[in-house]
C-alpha cells in the first residue's frame, strides 16, 4: 500500500530467513519487475557513464513527481483524469513568465513583459496558481463521474494547450519562452546538471513524503473508500465532493511544481511539451507502475524513462528509421504489459 | 541453494558485460572515423523534414566515404531523434555530447527543438549547425549556432515586397498556430504594412484542424485583394487552398512553401493552380542541384522538400570541408572559426557564407507559381520558378 512499508517489510523478511524468502518470492512478478527495472537502470548508468545518467535522472525525477501526483487522483481516489498535463503546463508557464529575463524586443518576434524574478520567489506562485485553477476546474468536475470524468478532463487538457498556444502576449504562443531562471540560493546558482538533479530529487522526496502521509492518513482511507464505492461512503456521512476536490487540488499543485521544475531545468519551454499525448503517456506510466501504489509510480516512471532512453542504444537500426522503430517497440511493450499484467508492475488494483 | 547460485551467476554475468563494454570502449583506434552528431525530428510534428534531412545527410556521407573519406578518414553520423520539442532535444543533445562525445552537431529540423538545445550548446562550446530551422530567434542563440536555412524573417520580408509589387493593397491572412507559420505571418504583415498595405482580416488555426470554411468566410467577407496562407502541415495548407476556391474566391493566393508541397497539391488539385509561393528554391539551372536530386531519388525512391534536402546535403559537405581543415572532430572552436570564414558553392546556391550571428548570407528567396494539374510532373514539383523575390 504505502511507499515505505512494502520494501522495508520485504527487507526484514530477507534478513530473517533469506532462503525461505527466496523460495516464496521466486515466482513473484512484483519482485522481478523491481529487480529488472532497478537493475537495468544501474547497468545503464554504469554502461553509459555519469553525464548522460544525470540527464536521464532529471527527466525521471520530473516524470516521477507527475506520476506520483496523478496516482493520488487516479489510483487512490479512482478519478481517471487525462487533464493533468494542463496543471503541469500552468506551473511551467508561471515559472517561465515570472523568471524569464530575455529581451524579446531585439528579436523580430512576439514581445512579452519580463519580470526577472528569482526561481524561489516564482516557485510558490507556480504551485499556488496551479492549485487555484484546479480549485475552479475541480468544482465543475465534481459533478461528473467515471467515463464522463475522462471526457471532461480531456477537454481541460485541450483548453489548457490552446490557451498556452493562443495567449500570445503572455506566453509568446508557439515561439516559446527563453532564458527561464535557474534556481539560486544566495550566491550559489544551481547551474550544473548534477546540482539541479540533487534539487529535483529533494523535491521528489518531498512530494513522495507528502503523498505517503496523505494515503496513510484517515483522509487517505476515505479516498480509497470513494474509489471502491462512493455511495456507500456517502451513507456514512462523508461529504465525498469535499474530499475529491481536496485531493484534486493537492495533486494539481504537485503537477504545477513539476512544471515549474521542468521550465527551470530546460530554460526554454513552448506549448509542444504540453500536448494531450504527453498526458496520455503520463496516465500509462501510472497504470504501468501500478495504481494506488506510490512505489509503483516511481517504478513506472523509471521503467518508462529507461525504456525510452535505453532504446536510443538499440543497435542494428538504420539511422533513417531509428525514431519510428523506437516508438513502435515502446507501443508494443505497453500493449503486452496491459494484456498480461493489467494491474501494472507492482499494483494491486485494476482500473 | 539453487537460488543463491543463480543470483551469483546473474551478478557475475552483469559484471562481465560491463567489463566487456568498458574494454571495448578503451580499445578504439586513434585514427577512427570522424564522428558527427545529427539531431533531427524523425518522429513528431516535424517528421517529414527530419526524415528528409537525415536521408540527405546520409546520402552525402556515403558519397564522401565512397570517394575515400576526409584525409583518408571516414565520416560517421550518430543520429538522434529530437522529436520537434525542446525537452526531447535536450535529452538527445546530452546523449550525443555525454555518451558519444561529439562536439559538432548537425540539426535540428524543428526550431523549438533547436532553441531548447542551443543554450546548452552555447554554454558547453558545442557547434550546432542546422539546414532547416527557420525561427528568427535562432539568430540570437549564440556564437556556436549556425544555419544554412533562411530565417522566417527574410521569407516574410520578401513576401511583403512581392505582395506590394503585385499591386495588392488589402490583404487577408490565415496561418497555423506554430512558431514557423506564425513567424512568417508576422514578418509578412509587418513588411506589407510598412510599405503602406492594409491587413483587412487575420485568422489562425490550431494544428490538426480540418475544416476552415468558417474562418475563410470571415476572411472573404472583408473583400481582400489577396489571401496569404502560412501553414506548417501540408494537409492543412492544401485543404485551405481547396476550400478557398470552393467558397467561390477567385482572387490571387500567396503562400509559404508548405501549401505547395507535394501532398498539399494532391489535396488541393486544380484549386492550387496559380498560387504564388515565396520560398527558397533550388535553381533549375544549377547542375549540382539536379544531380543531388537524382541521386536522392535513386537511393530513396522519392523526392520531397527539394530545397531543404539540398540544404541538409550541403551541410555535410561544408562539415567535411571544415574537418579537412581542422583535422579533429573534437575541435569545436576550430570548426566554428572555419564556418565563419567559409564561402561555399553547393546545391542551394553559389558563394554563400555566414555572418557574425551564424546566419547564412548570399541566398535569396524565389517566387514560385503552381502549374495547372495537367502540367505538374514529378520533376517540376508542380510549379515553375518566376524569379528571385524583389528586394526593396
Amino acid at each position: 500500500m504505502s511507499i515505505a512499508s512494502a520494501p522495508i517489510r520485504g527487507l526484514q523478511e530477507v534478513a530473517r530467513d533469506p532462503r525461505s524468502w527466496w523460495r516464496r518470492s521466486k515466482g513473484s512478478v512484483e519482485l522481478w519487475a523491481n529487480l529488472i527495472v532497478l537493475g537495468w537502470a544501474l547497468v545503464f548508468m554504469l554502461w553509459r557513464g555519469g553525464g548522460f545518467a544525470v540527464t536521464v535522472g532529471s527527466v525521471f525525477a520530473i516524470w516521477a513527481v507527475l506520476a506520483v501526483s496523478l496516482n493520488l487522483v487516479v489510483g487512490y481516489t479512482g478519478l481517471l483524469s487525462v487533464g493533468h498535463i494542463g496543471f503541469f503546463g500552468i506551473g511551467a508557464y508561471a515559472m517561465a513568465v515570472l523568471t524569464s529575463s530575455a529581451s524579446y524586443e531585439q528579436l523580430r518576434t512576439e514581445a512579452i513583459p519580463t519580470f526577472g524574478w528569482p526561481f524561489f520567489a516564482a516557485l510558490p506562485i507556480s504551485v499556488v496558481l496551479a492549485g487555484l485553477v484546479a480549485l475552479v476546474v475541480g468544482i465543475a468536475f465534481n459533478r461528473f463521474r467515471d467515463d464522463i470524468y475522462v471526457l471532461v478532463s480531456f477537454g481541460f487538457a485541450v483548453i489548457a494547450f490552446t490557451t498556452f498556444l493562443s495567449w500570445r502576449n503572455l506566453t509568446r504562443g508557439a515561439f516559446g519562452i527563453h532564458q527561464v531562471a535557474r534556481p539560486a540560493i544566495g550566491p550559489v546558482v544551481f547551474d550544473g546538471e548534477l546540482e539541479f538533479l540533487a534539487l529535483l530529487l529533494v523535491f521528489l522526496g518531498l512530494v513522495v513524503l507528502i503523498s505517503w502521509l496523505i494515503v496513510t492518513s484517515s483522509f487517505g482511507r476515505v479516498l480509497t473508500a470513494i474509489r471502491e464505492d462512493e455511495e456507500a461512503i456517502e451513507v456514512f456521512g462523508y461529504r465525498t465532493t469535499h474530499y475529491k476536490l481536496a485531493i484534486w487540488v493537492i495533486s494539481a499543485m504537485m503537477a504545477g511544481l513539476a512544471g515549474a521544475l521542468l521550465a527551470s531545468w530546460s530554460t526554454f519551454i513552448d506549448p509542444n511539451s504540453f500536448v494531450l499525448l504527453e498526458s496520455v503517456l503520463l496516465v500509462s506510466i501510472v497504470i504501468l507502475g501500478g495504481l494506488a501504489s506510490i512505489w509503483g509510480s516511481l517504478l513506472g516512471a523509471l521503467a518508462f524513462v529507461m525504456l525510452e532512453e535505453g532504446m536510443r542504444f538499440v543497435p542494428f537500426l538504420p539511422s533513417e528509421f531509428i525514431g519510428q522503430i523506437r516508438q513502435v517497440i515502446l507501443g508494443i511493450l505497453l500493449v503486452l504489459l496491459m494484456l498480461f499484467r493489467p494491474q501494472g508492475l507492482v499494483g494491486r488494483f485494476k482500473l | 541453494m539453487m537460488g543463491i547460485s543463480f543470483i551469483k551467476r546473474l551478478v557475475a554475468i552483469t559484471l562481465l558485460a560491463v567489463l566487456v563494454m568498458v574494454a571495448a570502449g578503451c580499445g578504439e583506434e586513434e585514427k577512427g572515423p570522424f564522428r558527427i552528431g545529427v539531431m533531427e525530428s524523425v518522429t513528431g510534428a516535424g517528421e517529414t523534414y527530419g526524415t528528409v534531412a537525415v536521408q540527405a545527410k546520409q546520402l552525402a556521407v556515403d558519397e564522401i566515404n565512397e570517394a575515400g573519406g576526409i584525409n583518408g578518414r571516414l565520416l560517421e553520423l550518430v543520429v538522434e531523434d529530437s522529436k520537434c520539442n525542446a525537452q526531447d532535444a535536450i535529452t538527445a543533445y546530452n546523449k550525443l555530447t555525454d555518451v558519444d562525445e561529439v562536439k559538432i552537431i548537425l540539426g535540428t529540423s524543428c526550431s523549438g527543438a533547436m532553441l531548447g538545445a542551443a543554450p546548452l550548446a552555447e554554454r558547453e562550446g558545442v557547434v550546432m549547425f542546422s539546414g532547416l530551422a527557420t525561427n528568427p530567434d535562432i539568430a540570437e542563440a549564440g556564437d556556436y549556432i549556425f544555419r544554412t536555412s533562411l530565417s522566417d524573417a527574410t521569407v516574410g520580408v520578401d513576401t511583403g515586397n512581392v505582395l506590394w509589387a503585385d499591386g495588392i493593397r488589402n490583404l487577408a491572412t490565415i496561418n497555423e498556430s506554430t512558431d514557423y507559420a506564425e513567424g512568417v505571418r508576422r514578418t509578412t504583415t509587418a513588411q506589407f504594412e510598412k510599405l503602406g498595405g492594409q491587413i483587412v482580416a487575420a485568422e489562425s488555426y490550431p494544428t490538426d484542424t480540418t475544416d476552415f470554411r468558417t474562418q475563410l468566410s470571415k476572411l472573404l467577407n472583408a473583400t481582400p485583394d489577396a489571401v496569404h496562407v502560412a501553414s506548417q502541415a501540408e494537409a492543412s495548407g492544401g485543404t485551405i487552398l481547396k476550400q478557398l476556391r470552393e467558397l467561390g474566391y477567385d482572387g490571387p493566393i500567396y503562400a509559404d512553401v508548405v501549401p505547395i508541397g507535394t501532398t498539399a497539391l494532391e489535396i488541393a488539385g486544380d484549386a492550387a493552380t496559380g498560387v504564388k509561393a515565396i520560398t527558397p528554391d533550388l535553381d533549375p539551372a544549377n547542375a549540382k542541384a539536379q544531380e543531388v536530386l537524382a541521386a536522392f531519388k535513386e537511393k530513396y525512391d522519392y523526392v520531397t522538400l527539394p530545397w531543404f534536402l539540398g540544404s541538409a546535403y550541403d551541410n555535410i559537405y561544408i562539415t567535411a570541408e571544415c574537418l579537412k581543415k581542422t583535422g579533429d572532430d573534437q575541435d569545436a572552436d576550430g570548426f566554428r572559426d572555419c564556418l565563419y570564414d567559409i564561402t561555399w558553392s553547393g546545391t542551394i546556391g553559389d558563394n554563400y557564407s555566414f555572418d557574425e550571428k551564424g546566419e547564412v548570407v548570399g541566398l535569396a528567396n524565389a517566387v514560385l507559381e503552381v502549374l495547372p494539374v495537367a502540367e505538374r510532373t514529378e520533376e517540376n514539383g508542380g510549379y515553375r520558378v518566376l524569379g528571385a523575390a524583389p528586394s526593396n
Side-chain angles (χ1 to χ4, degrees), chain A residues 22-337:
Chain A
W22 176 249
R23 217 178 300 122
R24 271 184 292 119
S25 321
K26 210 161 39 174
S28 154
V29 180
E30 225 173 276
L31 177 80
W32 283 111
N34 275 300
L35 275 182
I36 289 172
V37 175
L38 294 176
W40 167 226
L42 194 71
V43 170
F44 186 83
M45 217 175 88
L46 293 171
W47 176 28
R48 281 317 176 183
F52 189 51
V54 170
T55 309
V56 175
S58 306
V59 176
F60 156 73
I62 292 168
W63 277 108
V65 171
L66 271 176
V68 169
S69 72
L70 184 62
N71 207 344
L72 292 177
V73 172
V74 176
Y76 286 95
T77 321
L79 303 168
L80 184 53
S81 161
V82 290
H84 221 55
I85 207 79
F87 302 116
F88 183 54
I90 290 170
Y93 268 102
M95 172 60 75
V97 170
L98 289 175
T99 68
S100 169
S101 51
S103 49
Y104 296 110
E105 281 73 21
Q106 56 164 298
L107 306 172
R108 299 171 77 168
T109 51
E110 201 97 37
I112 56 165
T114 48
F115 300 96
W117 287 22
F119 173 87
F120 284 105
L123 190 67
I125 307 282
S126 311
V127 173
V128 170
L129 191 69
L132 280 177
V133 175
L135 186 67
V136 176
V137 172
I139 289 172
F141 279 20
N142 255 335
R143 297 160 162 273
F144 306 106
R145 273 185 204 178
D146 305 329
D147 305 359
I148 307 294
Y149 204 89
V150 182
L151 287 178
V152 290
S153 64
F154 175 95
F156 174 70
V158 174
I159 292 171
F161 172 74
T162 314
T163 309
F164 302 144
L165 194 61
S166 314
W167 196 348
R168 293 207 208 107
N169 41 21
L170 187 70
T171 65
R172 292 185 91 228
F175 291 111
I177 297 177
H178 302 257
Q179 293 177 30
V180 182
R182 276 298 177 96
I185 302 175
V188 188
V189 183
F190 287 79
D191 224 4
E193 297 307 313
L194 194 60
E195 290 102 314
F196 202 88
L197 175 62
L199 186 81
L200 284 173
L201 291 178
V202 168
F203 279 111
L204 175 60
L206 209 63
V207 165
V208 167
L209 181 69
I210 294 171
S211 305
W212 181 69
L213 289 175
I214 289 173
V215 301
T216 51
S217 67
S218 57
F219 176 65
R221 280 193 293 279
V222 176
L223 296 179
T224 317
I226 291 175
R227 180 189 76 206
E228 296 302 332
D229 192 339
E230 190 167 343
E231 268 105 32
I233 190 86
E234 264 172 350
V235 170
F236 286 103
Y238 288 96
R239 288 281 198 89
T240 54
T241 46
H242 292 184
Y243 284 87
K244 287 199 289 188
L245 191 59
I247 196 65
W248 174 256
V249 171
I250 292 170
S251 165
M253 287 168 81
M254 289 174 178
L257 171 75
L261 292 172
L262 172 98
S264 179
W265 175 70
S266 71
T267 74
F268 170 83
I269 58 162
D270 65 0
N272 276 342
S273 306
F274 311 107
V275 291
L276 187 71
L277 180 69
E278 302 276 322
S279 212
V280 176
L281 273 181
L282 181 60
V283 175
S284 22
I285 289 177
V286 172
I287 298 175
L288 167 78
L291 291 166
S293 160
I294 293 175
W295 177 250
S297 285
L298 295 175
L299 200 67
L302 187 63
F304 172 76
V305 172
M306 294 318 297
L307 210 58
E308 241 235 335
E309 298 306 325
M311 217 89 82
R312 288 189 191 279
F313 300 99
V314 177
F316 318 120
L317 289 183
S319 57
E320 296 106 72
F321 305 117
I322 215 158
Q324 285 91 331
I325 291 176
R326 203 182 288 155
Q327 286 197 328
V328 170
I329 296 178
L330 194 67
I332 293 175
L333 283 176
L334 279 177
V335 169
L336 288 180
L337 251 160

Side-chain angles (χ1 to χ4, degrees), chain A residues 22 47-48 51-52 55 59 106-107 109-110 165 172 174 178 193 266 272-273 308 312-313 319 323-324, chain B residues 3 21 42-43 55 58 79-80 83-84 86-87 90-91 94-95 98-99 123 137 140 177-179 186:
Chain A
W22 176 249
W47 176 28
R48 281 317 176 183
F52 189 51
T55 309
V59 176
Q106 56 164 298
L107 306 172
T109 51
E110 201 97 37
L165 194 61
R172 292 185 91 228
H178 302 257
E193 297 307 313
S266 71
N272 276 342
S273 306
E308 241 235 335
R312 288 189 191 279
F313 300 99
S319 57
Q324 285 91 331
Chain B
M21 281 155 197
V42 287
T43 62
Q55 289 174 337
Q58 195 60 53
V79 180
E80 271 305 327
K83 287 190 200 164
C84 216
Q87 277 70 56
I90 291 173
T91 35
N94 280 327
K95 188 261 177 182
D98 288 338
V99 179
R123 196 171 67 207
D137 288 357
E140 310 291 336
S177 293
T178 62
D179 56 345
R186 282 186 73 84

Side-chain angles (χ1 to χ4, degrees), chain B residues 159-169 252 254 276 278 367 386 390:
Chain B
T159 310
N161 289 338
V162 170
L163 286 163
W164 187 256
D166 283 0
I168 308 297
R169 295 297 175 264
Y254 293 81
K276 281 186 185 174
I278 291 83
V367 184
L386 293 180

